[in-house]
Amino acid sequence: MIQGMTPLAGPDRAELDLVEVLQALGDPVRLQIVRVLAATDGPIACHEIPIPVAKSTGSHHLKVLREAGVVSAEVDGTRKYHTLRRADLDERFPGLLDSVLGD
Amino acid sequence: MIQGMTPLAGPDRAELDLVEVLQALGDPVRLQIVRVLAATDGPIACHEIPIPVAKSTGSHHLKVLREAGVVSAEVDGTRKYHTLRRADLDERFPGLLDSVLGD
């Protein structure tokens, strides 16, 4: 969490569901978002994520990822910042993220 | 392949697509099928896979898994036999199957 930002709701680590995570990852745009976040150290603003879709579509994909617990999101005014929940995913589903990012 | 059986079409190893595999795995019934096949040495007939759905639904799920390349299928008369494509998946997406089965 970043000082002064408001976190958006997402599942706790214990609530992460493998099927929901797989569904969230099973989309080419969402997979691309995850790869960008994985290559970034720290939160990244929506508009800084290079994805070839309309802004509303990108927001939808980020929401799917957040609700599945793949990313966390924090709001600062009108901007949302996203972070890959790598530690949570690695703890709950060891090897999954690495295998997906390794392709 | 089993002697005397007719294999059904599925993607070659090189054609396996990560997004399609994740989509195929991202369903509770299909994940259960994969777990049963992973625990079985060799092909298993449809009616021997314990899943809590109608036969037609089970057939649909097995078709999704086959078309994504997660399982292979062979026909012997009226019976279909399924096998997890573990070697192909491990080669193309190292660690993915283990992480999914480990949950």
Side-chain angles (χ1 to χ4, degrees):
Chain A
M1 202 185 304
I2 308 169
Q3 194 75 18
M5 289 205 196
T6 309
L8 295 179
D12 290 336
R13 178 183 288 194
E15 293 169 344
L16 293 178
D17 178 76
L18 177 60
V19 169
E20 284 179 35
V21 169
L22 291 170
Q23 285 173 351
L25 295 173
D27 178 275
V29 172
R30 293 198 290 270
L31 213 46
Q32 189 174 342
I33 293 172
V34 167
R35 288 187 172 125
V36 170
L37 293 178
T40 308
D41 192 22
I44 184 167
C46 290
H47 66 278
E48 292 174 329
I49 304 175
I51 43 176
V53 295
K55 190 179 169 188
S56 62
T57 309
S59 296
H60 165 74
H61 285 307
L62 283 162
K63 183 165 181 266
V64 172
L65 288 169
R66 175 171 58 81
E67 290 180 345
V70 176
V71 308
S72 60
E74 295 167 294
V75 177
D76 178 20
T78 59
R79 288 199 171 158
K80 279 185 199 163
Y81 291 82
H82 291 83
T83 308
L84 186 61
R85 293 178 61 177
R86 188 189 281 273
D88 291 333
L89 293 166
D90 285 350
E91 168 72 23
R92 286 296 315 279
F93 314 115
L96 177 60
L97 202 55
D98 283 341
S99 73
V100 166
L101 293 172
D103 180 49
Chain B
M1 202 186 302
I2 308 170
Q3 194 75 20
M5 289 205 196
T6 308
L8 295 180
D12 290 337
R13 177 184 289 195
E15 294 170 344
L16 292 178
D17 178 76
L18 178 59
V19 169
E20 285 179 36
V21 169
L22 290 170
Q23 285 172 351
L25 294 173
D27 177 276
V29 172
R30 293 198 290 270
L31 213 44
Q32 189 174 343
I33 293 172
V34 168
R35 289 190 170 123
V36 170
L37 293 178
T40 307
D41 192 21
I44 184 168
C46 290
H47 66 277
E48 292 173 329
I49 303 175
I51 42 176
V53 294
K55 190 180 169 187
S56 62
T57 308
S59 297
H60 165 74
H61 285 306
L62 283 161
K63 183 165 180 267
V64 172
L65 289 168
R66 174 171 59 80
E67 290 180 345
V70 176
V71 308
S72 60
E74 295 167 292
V75 177
D76 179 19
T78 59
R79 288 202 172 156
K80 279 186 198 161
Y81 291 81
H82 291 84
T83 308
L84 186 61
R85 293 179 61 177
R86 187 189 281 272
D88 291 333
L89 293 166
D90 286 349
E91 168 72 24
R92 286 296 315 280
F93 315 115
L96 178 61
L97 201 56
D98 284 341
S99 72
V100 165
L101 293 171
D103 180 49

